[in-house]
Amino acid sequence: MEKNIKTAMACGHAIRTSTRKLNLVAASIRGMEVGKALTQLSFSPRRIAGEVKKVLESAIANAENNHGMDVDKLVVAEAFVGKGIVMKRWQARARGRAGRIEKMFSNLTVVVRENEEKR
């Protein structure tokens, strides 16, 4: 692995979905060129794909504006998901009991790098 590889990243915090559901969408764009990844997310039927697309667009903008990378050569090097906060709620159940409801949040990190290979 080369030492001069430029990378740029963007993070999305407190995304309102569980980590398992978000990881399915993140796994679908890992290793893709950014143009293809944006198209994949645009036409994905999953609700959370719009949030993943926003984070990917932010990583692309960071690469272009902060690191001076060529947008046409960018690939999604990493897209990983972490656990966020959990809101705990209660719902009334039979015989005076309470049922626990957990509303999960997730964190998403997208790393893009410049691909040196020729197409």
Side-chain angles (χ1 to χ4, degrees), residues 41-106:
L41 292 171
S42 295
F43 293 104
S44 175
R46 296 194 173 268
R47 174 188 65 86
I48 207 62
E51 293 290 325
V52 177
K53 185 178 176 186
K54 277 194 220 175
V55 176
L56 178 58
E57 287 171 343
S58 177
I60 294 168
N62 289 341
E64 183 179 17
N65 298 323
N66 299 343
H67 301 287
M69 294 186 206
D70 184 14
V71 178
D72 297 328
K73 293 182 181 178
L74 292 179
V75 293
V76 180
E78 299 175 41
F80 56 91
V81 178
K83 187 177 177 187
I85 63 170
V86 179
M87 286 195 306
K88 292 157 184 109
R89 299 292 181 261
W90 301 98
Q91 182 176 14
R93 305 300 293 172
R95 298 174 61 183
R97 295 193 174 121
R100 186 175 185 168
I101 297 173
E102 293 184 344
K103 300 190 175 205
M104 312 295 280
F105 285 79
S106 305

